[in-house]
Amino acid sequence: MNLDAKIPSGPLEEKWEKHKFDMKLINPANRRKYDVIVVGSGLAGASAAATLGGLGYNVSCFCFQDSPRRAHSIAAQGGINAAKNYQGDGDSVHRLFYDTIKGGDFRAREANVHRLAEVSRNIIDQCVAQGVPFARDYGGLLDNRSFGGAQVSRTFYARGQTGQQLLLGAYSALNREISRGTVKMYSRKEMLEVVLVDGKARGIVVRDLVTGEIASHAGHAVILATGGYGNVFYLSTNAKGCNVTATWRAHKKGAGFANPCYTQVHPTCIPVSGDYQSKLTLMSESLRNDGRVWVPKKLGDTRPPDQISEEERDYYLERKYPSFGNLAPRDIASRSAKEACDAGRGVGPGGLGVYLDFADAIKRVGEDAIKKKYGNLFHMYKKITAENPYKSPMRIYPAVHYTMGGLWVDYNLMSNIPGLFVLGEANFSDHGANRLGASALMQGLADGYFVIPYTLPNYFANEKFEKVTNSDQAFKEAEGVVSEGSKKFLSIKGSRSVNSFHKELGKIMWDKCGMARTKAGLEEALVKIPKLRDEFWQNLKVLGGNESLNQSLERAGRVADFLEFGELMCQDALHREESCGGHFRTEHQTEDGEAKRDDGNFCYVGVWENKGVGKKAELHKETLQFENVKLATRSYK
Amino acid sequence: MKLCHRLFQSSVGAKMLMAITGLMLTGFVLVHMSGNLILYAGPEKFNAYAHGIKSLGALLWLMRGGLLATFVLHVYLAIKLTIENKAARPVPYAYEATIQATAASRFMIHTGLMMLVFVIYHLAHYTFKIVSPEISALAPGDAYAMVVTGFSSPAVSGFYILAMAALSAHLRHGVSSLFQSLGLYHGNLNPITEKLGPIVASIVFFGFSSIPLAVLMGAIK
Amino acid sequence: MDITLHVWRQKNAKSQGKMEVIEGKNISEDSSFLEMLDTVNETLQESGVEPIAFDHDCREGICGMCSLVINGEPHGPEYGTTTCQLHMRSFKNGQHIFIEPWRAKAFPILRDLIVDRGAFDRIQQAGGFVSVNVGSPQDANCIPVPKQDADKAFDAAVCIGCGACVAACKNASPMLFVAAKVSQLSLLPQGKPEREKRVLAMVDQMKAEGFGNCTNQYECEAACPKEISVEHIARMNREYFRAAALEESPKEGHGGE
């Protein structure tokens, strides 16, 4: 597997500028001759499709939802980082770069992260020009808030709905291109195969989720912007439809899967309340700006919070990390909550929760000020739990939220398959082993608005393309595979629903490959998952037919892929004998319980090559070079 | 003429025309009511008022023409919009519910059509005098006697009062709603516009209905 | 708790649908309305009946995918709440619950409770955007926007495009949805250059899709899970009148550079 990252030469600060000049361009009149397929319409997909359409390429964009506006980017709450330094508090491109590298526990590429920090500023300009209503102060200028893992206020926000506003901005840009005829939008279509011709990605096969019709689309390049795989855990903060199918099927066609074990567990989610639960709800990390996290000092203390005096409370984040306090990065805050609960000091039903207390903030600035800042989050909490967070502290517990791993890409965001580009959460590139808050939106939009519009033309200009149409043999074969797949699910006629398999897989993953992982646990999971997968193919029950809207059938395909992917994830977690960021191996920790990296042996990207179902994937390595930052132990004390 | 086309054909434009014609008709209704209330001042004053209107000559015909055109436009658009609205939901809900809309707002087309029937009857009754032989037998110019004669019949009075109830319901929603159609919905304005509908509706109902009631009770002879 | 559901079942867009009675047993009061449907669906599948198809995705009230008219009210009885955030504690043990799809000619039913809301996308495509190329727009802080305008624009921009306004309106009118976008962009300086073109095109498209007209009953506002005010409809009406008055007839024969 060729893992040349193609990082441009020269000083870090000049790489991207230099690369932009070195890359070849496509003449405006020739652009419409190139067909680009974009899968996914979230921040990365919609921004890429809109931008490329705007440049004059002939773009087709696909999403499985009923409208591109539904993509799960819409649910991001807190904000988007940008090194604007509007607050004059010492921010700079280099600081954002450094914070992101350090936040990712030194497991990301320097050049990619620096580029991300550079273009972060353009993103804000672009979004404001689109009419995104960011929060403003009384002078009419943009407001900022602070976020985990940073000591500057660089996060731009639109109340608690920043993701929504940014996605609707990208959606509006996409709509403009659709109306101009440069982008053709296909909704309720699920991508089920990537088609390669002469080793290049030249198209996709999709299933129409309403009619069951299977169709092929050919193009000169395929862009996957299909999000992360957090739903392998069944319970996560992801939307129910989020899945690994697009990236997994590309992986099975030869694309390397990088660092699948890096998953982010978000510290501030509403705790699980029962078996019926279908998803977990995140409460923005921004709550930690004013909320104080604590648990009772006494083990098994079941008194209501207002009866526990100050002296009997352990504000553990403030105690352990005095300089960052409640704003410690996500992985650290999550693990600390787990530690407290594992030690028997958790609160609420089942003891799986910690308090997030706003009493001090309300006393300091008043209930109205808190309501203005977090009103919608408090409202949401109340709706779900029927408790009033203005009166008693919230109960929170970590939940799977984001996945840093993804398909391997080079500096140009191209996978090891020529012509297959991967953007946003679907790739592995910028967050290392842990993502900082408000950086996902930044990366999705950076990739779509400001990276792919430069790197894709360069690919086109350097390649010769044979004429390929969707009636070619390769497409017909891929269509056959897809339609056989559907038929197979329907023909098993077993006794267990798709959901029950997904739930069981999720439990294995959470128990053995969740916040804390052990060798024994992962080995156990690697036995259990193939067994469950075998049962799935023997005992699955999917009712209805293929030629209609059949939600169970859709899910069967996604769960089948999760059942293969989960195994790879555990394999990756097992091989990485160190703790870093979102990957915590209990065998590898310091005396005070912090993650212990092994830079000597694991300072690389672990890229897996698929060898077929049930066969052990092959590991390839891209060594990470750090020329501008010093590898240090991450400290937020 | 693009503007005309937009006003008639577009959803928002047609609603504006509804609001403007509605406002004009409301104005007419209020003036008409004020004129009617002169009845309480006695036959001489009322007949003089009626004579005054008749002697406007060409101007009267112009006003009548304008009023008719406004009315026809209001009715035409109401029917057109209602047909479009019904077509927009071909299959009704099995469980019909209303969250907060007033009854007056839900039955606008019904109260409106009742007004159409009433106006035709009213014109036939007092203007063309073809409904009742007693009225056609009266001396021309004695408008006062005409009103008293007309409302002496409990059935006629009852019908008039019922019609005024319908008109009142129509105005209750219509008068408040026309501000929204014209884009005049605003935090500072709403406390007034919200109340204006019910206020105008009450004034119109009591103002008009008091006359047949007064006739029936013998207060006006 | 146990409940009795009356659910609209319809095989596909072309077939006739009807209300069917389905029993829901042992439902947790703390489960959401959609989790209740999940539970019912598991039971249906066990007995060999195809599950009830319904749209949903984020299940945290922001994607706008979930719908359902519950006992005659879009998104159910709770104010300012999407169906996915509605919890069963809002219902009583033994209650009969009617679940129907959004009903509008412009939202054809695809299956059971799932409708096609493509009309909303087409309305947005007609003009719900600012024409700005991606590249190097001016610095974000170049044009200050008064906080009250930005806040008002945001109040409109929170629309999730779920379609509850259409479902609630007796005329199946999407005025609140259309107005939310028109209002947002007309309040911001970035949206001003195209304000006339935008409002005319979006209102035209609304009609072309076969939606009804607004009769100012404000059922949309009452049903809107994001509590968007009908004040935005008034702003759109003003914008429309202004645009219609200023609109010039297209001149002929003046093409080219």
Side-chain angles (χ1 to χ4, degrees):
Chain A
M1 191 176 273
N2 176 17
L3 297 180
D4 177 7
K6 303 200 181 74
I7 295 168
S9 57
L12 184 66
E13 296 75 22
E14 291 162 24
K15 282 182 196 289
W16 179 234
E17 277 306 313
K18 175 177 173 297
H19 192 53
K20 278 200 283 188
F21 181 75
D22 290 343
M23 282 186 289
K24 287 189 184 164
L25 301 173
I26 302 277
N27 169 332
N30 285 335
R31 291 178 195 159
R32 75 178 75 91
K33 295 176 193 159
Y34 290 94
D35 302 321
V36 184
I37 289 169
V38 180
V39 187
S41 64
L43 282 179
S47 59
T51 310
L52 293 168
L55 287 170
Y57 297 96
N58 188 23
V59 180
S60 302
C61 183
F62 298 80
C63 70
F64 71 80
Q65 297 94 338
D66 76 329
S67 159
R69 68 180 293 154
R70 313 278 186 223
H72 195 56
S73 309
I74 203 145
Q77 298 171 354
I80 176 165
N81 287 331
K84 282 285 198 184
N85 195 28
Y86 282 160
Q87 308 305 326
D89 58 356
D91 200 10
S92 64
V93 167
H94 195 80
R95 189 172 294 281
L96 176 54
F97 156 74
Y98 183 76
D99 285 349
T100 308
I101 284 276
K102 177 185 169 196
D105 220 351
F106 305 94
R107 288 292 176 267
R109 266 189 217 136
E110 279 188 340
N112 284 57
V113 176
H114 198 274
R115 174 176 65 189
L116 178 67
E118 284 171 53
V119 303
S120 69
R121 297 170 301 181
N122 305 56
I123 296 172
I124 303 302
D125 300 342
Q126 189 64 38
C127 294
V128 166
Q130 287 168 345
V132 170
F134 282 119
R136 288 174 184 270
D137 58 28
Y138 285 98
L141 302 179
L142 294 164
D143 195 16
N144 292 106
R145 55 164 66 141
S146 52
F147 241 67
Q151 287 175 311
V152 295
S153 285
R154 63 158 77 97
T155 305
F156 294 79
Y157 65 100
R159 275 179 228 168
Q161 285 137 277
T162 317
Q164 181 199 25
Q165 294 310 315
L166 294 176
L167 182 66
L168 293 182
Y171 167 71
S172 72
L174 184 64
N175 281 333
R176 174 182 177 230
E177 296 309 323
I178 294 170
S179 74
R180 295 186 348 159
T182 61
V183 176
K184 190 154 172 22
M185 186 70 217
Y186 297 85
S187 298
R188 291 200 198 265
K189 306 271 188 295
E190 182 165 27
M191 190 216 94
L192 294 174
E193 279 297 329
V194 176
V195 179
L196 308 189
V197 178
D198 298 332
K200 287 184 203 144
R202 292 305 301 269
I204 58 170
V205 176
V206 297
R207 178 172 177 270
D208 185 314
L209 297 182
V210 178
T211 63
E213 189 197 348
I214 289 161
S216 292
H217 296 264
H220 295 87
V222 175
I223 296 173
L224 297 185
T226 52
Y229 46 83
N231 272 348
V232 70
F233 292 93
Y234 184 72
L235 284 181
S236 80
T237 67
N238 284 187
K240 292 298 286 176
C242 295
N243 62 76
V244 76
T245 290
T247 44
W248 187 249
R249 304 224 171 157
H251 172 61
K252 287 170 90 170
K253 280 281 167 79
F257 214 113
N259 302 333
C261 77
Y262 291 163
T263 47
Q264 180 165 79
V265 176
H266 195 288
T268 48
C269 301
I270 299 175
V272 177
S273 65
D275 274 348
Y276 52 80
Q277 197 136 355
S278 60
K279 80 154 272 161
L280 297 171
T281 303
L282 177 130
M283 311 286 293
S284 167
E285 175 166 306
S286 61
L287 289 171
R288 290 196 279 143
N289 272 310
D290 286 301
R292 297 179 69 196
V293 178
W294 64 274
V295 290
K297 281 183 180 160
K298 208 171 90 191
L299 290 186
D301 193 340
T302 53
R303 287 175 295 166
D306 55 346
Q307 288 174 23
I308 300 175
S309 70
E310 278 297 307
E311 297 74 51
E312 295 172 287
R313 299 175 176 191
D314 178 13
Y315 293 93
Y316 59 86
L317 285 177
E318 295 170 25
R319 172 173 58 79
K320 283 159 68 178
Y321 310 101
S323 68
F324 280 71
N326 292 298
L327 283 176
R330 290 177 175 177
D331 52 341
I332 288 174
S334 291
R335 216 161 40 243
S336 299
K338 181 177 158 47
E339 271 167 27
C341 295
D342 288 352
R345 295 187 294 146
V347 297
L352 287 178
V354 300
Y355 288 125
L356 180 63
D357 199 334
F358 290 86
D360 284 353
I362 290 174
K363 214 182 288 166
R364 194 174 64 242
V365 295
E367 194 173 311
D368 276 352
I370 293 296
K371 193 173 259 170
K372 269 208 183 95
K373 256 173 147 169
Y374 311 112
N376 63 327
L377 298 169
F378 277 50
H379 187 56
M380 185 164 83
Y381 182 84
K382 197 175 167 185
K383 262 190 244 175
I384 293 171
T385 62
E387 290 170 19
N388 180 356
Y390 293 103
K391 298 279 171 263
S392 59
M394 289 181 177
R395 284 177 301 110
I396 55 166
Y397 196 68
V400 174
H401 170 56
Y402 186 89
T403 53
M404 282 73 68
L407 291 183
W408 182 89
V409 290
D410 63 16
Y411 187 73
N412 297 316
L413 302 182
M414 189 166 84
S415 69
N416 56 310
I417 297 177
L420 182 71
F421 292 78
V422 191
L423 273 52
E425 191 180 352
N427 74 25
F428 88 105
S429 74
D430 295 355
H431 305 298
N434 174 55
R435 177 176 66 74
L436 289 183
S439 284
L441 302 181
M442 173 172 69
Q443 186 223 341
L445 290 179
D447 288 0
Y449 282 140
F450 296 107
V451 179
I452 195 75
Y454 296 90
T455 59
L456 185 68
N458 184 48
Y459 169 73
F460 286 154
N462 284 308
E463 290 288 330
K464 290 256 178 299
F465 291 96
E466 301 292 322
K467 193 170 161 47
V468 166
T469 73
N470 61 359
S471 49
D472 289 1
Q473 186 59 22
F475 285 92
K476 293 296 141 201
E477 278 166 19
E479 284 176 22
V481 170
V482 169
S483 92
E484 279 310 307
S486 293
K487 278 186 203 140
K488 195 161 176 201
F489 292 126
L490 292 164
S491 67
I492 300 171
K493 298 194 194 302
S495 64
R496 278 184 72 180
S497 69
V498 179
N499 222 30
S500 76
F501 283 105
H502 195 178
K503 261 190 189 170
E504 190 176 336
L505 172 69
K507 190 156 173 10
I508 299 173
M509 296 304 293
W510 181 242
D511 289 346
K512 309 295 175 197
C513 197
M515 269 191 285
R517 300 152 177 185
T518 62
K519 184 163 186 284
L522 290 164
E523 280 169 348
E524 195 186 326
L526 284 170
V527 174
K528 280 184 169 171
I529 295 169
K531 266 198 193 143
L532 184 64
R533 191 169 59 222
D534 288 344
E535 195 198 337
F536 177 85
W537 289 108
Q538 303 291 324
N539 197 19
L540 177 70
K541 182 178 196 175
V542 178
L543 299 169
N546 181 31
E547 280 76 37
S548 64
L549 200 161
N550 188 341
Q551 292 177 313
S552 306
L553 182 61
E554 293 166 22
R555 280 173 213 150
R558 294 171 197 161
V559 172
D561 290 334
F562 277 134
L563 282 165
E564 292 175 14
F565 172 75
E567 197 179 353
L568 181 71
M569 205 168 140
C570 292
Q571 203 177 328
D572 187 43
L574 182 64
H575 112 276
R576 191 166 279 277
E577 290 281 354
E578 64 163 352
S579 292
C580 59
H583 169 64
F584 191 79
R585 283 284 299 269
T586 25
E587 300 93 335
H588 304 284
Q589 52 182 315
T590 60
E591 275 163 20
D592 46 1
E594 301 292 340
K596 199 163 137 197
R597 274 196 340 255
D598 179 355
D599 293 331
N601 292 309
F602 289 96
C603 194
Y604 62 77
V605 180
V607 188
W608 298 89
E609 183 182 349
N610 191 278
K611 294 284 177 189
V613 183
K615 301 212 177 77
K616 200 171 181 301
E618 186 186 341
L619 178 68
H620 301 264
K621 296 174 185 176
E622 180 204 335
T623 307
L624 291 167
Q625 311 279 356
F626 289 93
E627 292 161 354
N628 298 276
V629 299
K630 215 173 90 219
L631 287 174
T633 302
R634 209 161 55 122
S635 167
Y636 292 94
K637 293 204 168 179
Chain B
M1 278 297 92
K2 229 170 165 183
L3 177 63
C4 253
H5 180 78
R6 289 224 172 265
L7 285 179
F8 276 94
Q9 289 306 322
S10 81
S11 181
V12 175
K15 289 298 299 175
M16 274 172 179
L17 283 183
M18 283 299 281
I20 293 166
T21 51
L23 182 65
M24 288 160 73
L25 292 170
T26 307
F28 166 74
V29 163
L30 288 173
V31 171
H32 187 347
M33 185 195 72
S34 316
N36 285 10
L37 291 177
I38 299 177
L39 264 169
Y40 290 109
E44 292 79 26
K45 292 253 168 70
F46 187 72
N47 282 343
Y49 158 74
H51 181 74
I53 293 176
K54 288 253 161 146
S55 58
L56 288 174
L59 190 62
L60 176 66
W61 283 105
L62 204 69
M63 283 164 64
R64 280 176 165 167
L67 185 63
L68 182 69
T70 309
F71 188 73
V72 167
L73 186 59
H74 194 78
V75 174
Y76 164 75
L77 286 172
I79 293 171
K80 175 179 171 303
L81 289 170
T82 304
I83 291 171
E84 286 174 9
N85 292 344
K86 294 281 168 219
R89 174 163 299 136
V91 183
Y93 288 110
Y95 189 117
E96 289 275 3
T98 302
I99 306 172
Q100 52 75 50
T102 58
S105 71
R106 279 154 52 211
F107 297 109
M108 284 301 273
I109 186 68
H110 308 92
T111 51
L113 290 175
M114 277 167 77
M115 289 318 297
L116 177 63
V117 173
F118 168 75
V119 166
I120 293 168
Y121 173 80
H122 183 50
L123 289 176
H125 191 203
Y126 284 139
T127 308
F128 303 117
K129 300 173 190 169
I130 49 174
V131 178
S132 109
E134 290 91 6
I135 289 178
S136 28
L138 288 171
D142 192 351
Y144 187 86
M146 190 171 75
V147 173
V148 175
T149 313
F151 288 146
S152 302
S153 151
V156 171
S157 285
F159 176 68
Y160 268 80
I161 294 170
L162 209 65
M164 287 311 104
L167 174 61
S168 166
H170 200 78
L171 292 177
R172 187 185 189 282
H173 176 67
V175 170
S176 290
S177 160
L178 68 87
F179 291 94
Q180 169 79 348
S181 292
L182 293 173
L184 298 172
Y185 183 104
H186 191 275
N188 299 334
L189 212 57
N190 294 350
I192 305 166
T193 56
E194 274 166 17
K195 287 189 197 87
L196 209 55
I199 291 171
V200 171
S202 309
I203 292 173
V204 166
F205 179 72
F206 289 112
F208 275 119
S209 305
S210 72
I211 294 165
L213 276 177
V215 172
L216 282 182
M217 292 190 305
I220 294 176
K221 286 178 200 154
Chain C
M1 63 196 283
D2 296 337
I3 42 167
T4 304
L5 303 178
H6 300 254
V7 186
W8 183 262
R9 302 300 303 262
Q10 181 173 335
K11 196 97 186 130
N12 55 43
K14 290 184 194 105
S15 63
Q16 282 278 330
K18 64 173 196 304
M19 298 297 287
E20 277 179 20
V21 178
I22 297 167
E23 298 294 332
K25 302 272 179 222
N26 289 325
I27 306 292
S28 163
E29 287 192 351
D30 288 324
S31 69
S32 73
F33 198 83
L34 298 184
E35 285 165 349
M36 177 275 288
L37 285 177
D38 289 343
T39 311
V40 168
N41 272 344
E42 287 292 304
T43 319
L44 284 178
Q45 287 180 89
E46 276 166 26
S47 55
V49 180
E50 279 194 66
I52 304 162
F54 60 94
D55 260 336
H56 64 99
D57 201 19
C58 77
R59 298 209 177 185
E60 52 185 272
I62 195 74
C63 75
M65 191 101 171
C66 68
S67 49
L68 309 187
V69 175
I70 301 163
N71 285 347
E73 294 184 38
H75 292 302
E78 293 286 312
Y79 183 70
T81 304
T82 54
T83 298
C84 63
Q85 295 213 298
L86 176 68
H87 282 71
M88 293 310 291
R89 59 180 90 94
S90 301
F91 298 88
K92 288 192 217 65
N93 189 25
Q95 195 174 342
H96 283 248
I97 304 174
F98 283 71
I99 311 175
E100 297 175 73
W102 288 171
R103 293 232 179 258
K105 185 175 148 224
F107 287 164
I109 295 174
L110 298 175
R111 175 160 202 173
D112 295 346
L113 303 168
I114 297 180
V115 299
D116 178 358
R117 284 169 287 199
F120 269 17
D121 284 329
R122 291 187 291 274
I123 290 175
Q124 296 292 349
Q125 286 155 18
F129 48 79
V130 173
S131 294
V132 51
N133 291 334
V134 178
S136 312
Q138 64 199 327
D139 185 88
N141 258 350
C142 254
I143 311 174
V145 181
K147 184 171 165 53
Q148 62 194 43
D149 289 353
D151 285 350
K152 254 195 194 137
F154 184 88
D155 290 340
V158 296
C159 172
I160 56 174
C162 65
C165 45
V166 173
C169 177
K170 76 175 168 71
N171 310 324
S173 169
M175 284 284 274
L176 195 60
F177 166 78
V178 183
K181 187 49 78 177
V182 168
S183 185
Q184 177 204 340
L185 293 179
S186 73
L187 281 160
L188 296 171
Q190 291 80 7
K192 291 250 157 67
E194 292 167 287
R195 62 194 281 203
E196 293 93 7
K197 191 168 157 259
R198 175 181 309 118
V199 65
L200 296 175
M202 289 179 79
V203 170
D204 282 351
Q205 188 64 32
M206 171 174 102
K207 180 154 189 161
E209 296 290 347
F211 288 110
N213 308 290
C214 180
T215 46
N216 305 336
Q217 293 189 314
Y218 310 152
E219 286 286 276
C220 50
E221 182 184 271
C224 177
K226 296 294 146 187
E227 300 169 41
I228 295 173
S229 163
V230 293
E231 183 184 343
H232 298 290
I233 297 184
R235 184 170 293 107
M236 174 163 84
N237 289 346
R238 293 200 291 279
E239 286 289 313
Y240 187 85
F241 192 68
R242 185 180 170 281
L246 294 176
E247 190 180 20
E248 287 175 21
S249 297
K251 292 195 180 80
E252 284 166 28
H254 285 281
E257 299 290 300

